[in-house]
Amino acid sequence: MTSEQILIGVGLLVTLAVGGQVLATWLRIPAIIVLLPLGFAAGAITDDIHPDRILGPAFSPLVSLAVAVILYDAGLGLDLRQLRGDTRRTVHRLVWVGALLTAPIGAFAAAPLLGVSGAAAAMLGVILVVSGPTVVGPLLNFVRPGERLQRILLWEGSLIDAVGGIAGALVFHALISDQRHGLGTGSLQFLASVGVGLLGGAVGAALLWWLLVRMRLGEILGTTTQLAAVIGVAAACDAIRDDTGLIAAIVMGVAVATLPAFELAIRRPFFEALVSLVVAVLFVSISSTVTWAALRPVLLPGLGLVAVLVLVARPLVAWLSTLGTDLSHGERAFLGWMAPRGIVAASTAATFSGELATAGVDGAVKILPATFLVIVATVTLYGLTAAPVARRLGVVRAARSRPLLVGGEPWVVELGRALRSAGLDTLMWAGRTAQRERITAAGLELAQGELMECASGEGAERESVTAVYLLTADDDFNALLSALLQDGEGRSVHRLTPAEPLEHGAVAAPGAGLLFGAGLTGEVLADRFREGARIEARPATAGIPPGHDLLFTVEPDGRLVPAPGPSRSSGAGPVLHVLLGPAGAGARPHRGQTPEAVG
């Protein structure tokens, strides 16, 4: 290719990738539903977009490293402290039972349906084991299942990608070398690969600890350091044993997310933007290599394979994996109806199918188009049906406000208790140890990690935060965070009215979102609470007693309206007022709250 063709191809790839995401956002559908047909159409129109022509032999290694970066980012959202009891047991079973059952079921179904050899069917069965957080995550954010279900599916999607990638590499090399290893030899090879990946992940985590915690690199250099460390470690592991870099990347991400030493050292906004672009480019580039001539022979048989995977393999795996657990029937059924295939399946098929075809494996040319069809069909099917199925099974989170209260002053903790008594699932965050202990002693849920992680982006989506209330005693801090969080994610941000106008504050914060009116500043609220005022929720029918101030209105549907915002109640149920009582009311501390916290 000429340099002009390469420039056109790269520019077209990136433009289509981002344009597809924008279109999907506008249509309110998962981006993959747009990206795969977009890449397929572009590849049919022009050869300039084909990645194997642009990058040549470098395409497959670059795909592997890109997937490692994606899985590292997924690992940053996986905190081992949240994986306990039956949740942990279910995740382990879904990964291992899923791999051991899905691969043979897929292979036995693919051989007669697609008319391929046993070798090609075995390769395809292993490829279709994987799921992936880049597909599961957006679907779950749209469906909003219960927190435990969401955590199980995200963990499964991240871990099974690495297991499937390594199993795919082992099967590929066995087919290429025409070796028929016994079960013992294959198991030893698999364990050796896992060992290399775990060792690489441990080395990478130690390297990140030294760079981010000990050297205290800034946000920009710290983020690029993470990228370099992940790519360097993954490349080294892959050079030793194929696809072990995927395990190393996940281990590094989980270590960074779990170990307390990293809590104040990690910044994710750049990674979120990078991963979003990488995923989109991979989907468009890989789907551009699939031609209609290759897709047409596998269209109807491929749909039959999808039916086997969706109606037989996944329900069986979910049933076996949840036996003896405390998951409800609805949760178990929903696990059986959520297994979309994603970028790792596409990248593995693109990497191995061509070499198997060159080696003369009968039917290998059908692996990539069949995988493409399974990805499109499963994502479309689950994307269109997951929400109504979740509602029918009763596993959707209640559509109520989930406020994030930022601050640990005694009156803020009291407010959190009042909102919880009004039926709201309240989340709190504070930076100081004493404040965090106060929140925990009050029995309120405390967000882990840094504030930006749980108040914005994927962290806020994962925690289902609907609004952020900045209630610290530092007006400059509240103003700064308000400006940073006003990014149009559909999540309202509110802050206390400053004690004095911030004409020369830390940042020119937006004036909208000020709470409670001019008279109720953070200082006034703290003083009144210290003098005995109580915060409590009461039925709105009783009105607002003299000496009380309205802080929030809780609508019948669970929507939280901060004062002085207008209430738009439909009258379909009781409305609650969250009120601040008069000073000197002689409030007694709530159970679990010390007198010092009140006074």
Side-chain angles (χ1 to χ4, degrees):
M1 295 182 68
T2 64
S3 58
E4 290 80 5
Q5 289 175 312
I6 293 176
L7 288 172
I8 292 174
V10 172
L12 192 58
L13 268 177
V14 175
T15 302
L16 290 176
V18 177
Q21 290 178 314
V22 172
L23 178 60
T25 301
W26 181 66
L27 295 174
R28 297 184 180 274
I29 60 176
I32 189 175
I33 297 179
V34 176
L35 293 172
L36 289 180
L38 201 60
F40 176 75
I45 295 172
T46 176
D47 291 337
D48 292 343
I49 199 174
H50 290 177
D52 47 356
R53 295 193 62 192
I54 297 174
L55 299 173
F59 175 57
S60 293
L62 288 176
V63 167
S64 179
L65 295 178
V67 173
V69 172
I70 293 170
L71 293 183
Y72 171 76
D73 181 73
L76 289 177
L78 303 177
D79 191 339
L80 282 173
R81 292 169 292 190
Q82 298 177 340
L83 197 62
R84 300 183 296 269
D86 282 343
T87 300
R88 178 190 292 268
R89 188 177 303 112
T90 302
V91 169
H92 289 167
R93 291 178 181 176
L94 284 172
V95 172
W96 297 111
V97 174
L100 294 175
L101 285 185
T102 305
I105 290 175
F108 282 118
L113 286 172
L114 299 175
V116 298
S117 65
M123 187 76 254
L124 182 58
V126 173
I127 289 172
L128 296 180
V129 162
V130 300
S131 176
T134 59
V135 178
V136 173
L139 287 177
L140 294 179
N141 291 334
F142 176 73
V143 176
R144 289 175 53 82
E147 183 178 350
R148 178 164 66 167
L149 268 181
Q150 181 155 335
R151 188 175 296 137
I152 288 172
L153 288 166
L154 286 174
W155 271 96
E156 179 204 8
S158 299
L159 296 179
I160 204 167
D161 275 359
V163 172
I166 290 177
L170 293 177
V171 171
F172 169 75
H173 287 295
L175 296 176
I176 287 294
S177 60
D178 197 28
Q179 296 175 355
R180 298 294 181 265
H181 298 296
L183 179 61
T185 304
S187 299
L188 289 176
Q189 288 187 357
F190 183 83
L191 291 175
S193 297
V194 172
V196 171
L198 291 176
L199 179 61
V203 172
L207 178 62
L208 285 176
W209 175 83
W210 184 72
L211 292 171
L212 300 176
V213 179
R214 294 297 299 271
M215 292 190 66
R216 298 184 179 180
L217 299 177
E219 180 171 346
I220 295 177
L221 187 56
T223 302
T224 54
T225 297
Q226 292 178 70
L227 178 63
V230 172
I231 291 178
V233 170
C237 291
D238 283 346
I240 298 173
R241 292 188 72 90
D242 287 337
D243 284 337
T244 54
L246 302 183
I247 284 186
I250 291 180
V251 169
M252 292 171 67
V254 172
V256 169
T258 303
L259 298 179
F262 287 101
E263 282 190 357
L264 299 179
I266 296 301
R267 302 292 186 271
R268 291 189 62 188
F270 171 75
F271 252 101
E272 291 179 1
L274 174 66
V275 169
S276 176
L277 178 62
V278 168
V279 170
V281 169
L282 285 179
F283 274 129
V284 172
S285 61
I286 291 174
S287 59
S288 70
T289 63
V290 180
T291 64
W292 173 245
L295 185 62
R296 182 170 51 191
V298 303
L299 189 57
L300 291 179
L303 293 177
L305 177 60
V306 170
V308 172
L309 294 173
V310 170
L311 301 178
V312 178
R314 180 61 183 186
L316 179 60
V317 168
W319 178 69
L320 291 174
S321 300
T322 55
L323 281 177
T325 66
D326 61 356
L327 271 70
S328 66
H329 292 297
E331 289 174 322
R332 297 176 67 184
F334 187 76
L335 288 177
W337 192 253
M338 180 57 67
R341 272 59 179 181
I343 190 60
V344 176
S347 61
T348 306
T351 300
F352 296 147
S353 62
E355 294 187 45
L356 288 176
T358 303
V361 174
D362 185 31
V365 293
K366 295 183 178 180
I367 291 177
L368 181 57
T371 303
F372 174 85
L373 182 63
V374 170
I375 293 173
V376 173
T378 55
V379 170
T380 302
L381 176 64
Y382 292 128
L384 296 176
T385 64
V389 167
R391 287 193 296 269
R392 182 69 179 269
L393 295 173
V395 296
V396 180
R397 296 188 194 183
R400 303 175 68 85
S401 292
R402 178 165 163 81
L404 170 62
L405 307 187
V406 179
E409 299 294 326
W411 75 268
V412 180
V413 177
E414 180 81 355
L415 174 61
R417 292 172 63 93
L419 294 178
R420 187 180 63 179
S421 71
L424 298 182
D425 186 13
T426 305
L427 181 66
M428 298 193 68
W429 184 93
R432 297 180 179 177
T433 301
Q435 293 178 340
R436 296 175 70 85
E437 290 175 350
R438 182 182 297 136
I439 293 169
T440 303
L444 296 168
E445 183 177 357
L446 179 66
Q448 303 296 324
E450 64 173 25
L451 175 57
M452 292 299 293
E453 173 70 13
C454 61
S456 64
E458 294 180 0
E461 292 178 354
R462 194 164 47 246
E463 295 288 351
S464 299
V465 172
T466 57
V468 181
Y469 296 92
L470 303 169
L471 309 175
T472 75
D474 189 334
D475 291 334
D476 269 337
F477 177 84
N478 295 339
L480 176 61
L481 263 295
S482 177
L484 292 175
L485 294 173
Q486 296 284 352
D487 57 2
E489 291 184 345
R491 196 174 297 108
S492 59
V493 180
H494 308 267
R495 62 186 174 99
L496 290 172
T497 301
E500 298 179 0
L502 297 177
E503 297 177 356
H504 304 286
V507 66
L514 295 179
L515 291 168
F516 311 145
L520 289 178
T521 64
E523 184 177 344
V524 171
L525 288 163
D527 287 344
R528 280 179 58 173
F529 187 78
R530 198 160 29 242
E531 293 170 3
R534 292 188 61 181
I535 300 175
E536 57 185 352
R538 295 183 177 182
T541 53
I544 301 177
H548 288 67
D549 288 288
L550 177 64
L551 302 182
F552 293 94
T553 299
V554 182
E555 302 286 2
D557 60 359
R559 188 168 58 91
L560 185 65
V561 181
S567 173
R568 294 186 291 272
S569 173
S570 62
V575 178
L576 297 178
H577 283 164
V578 179
L579 302 172
L580 173 67
R588 292 173 297 180
H590 286 177
R591 184 171 50 192
Q593 185 178 17
T594 63
E596 292 77 12
V598 176

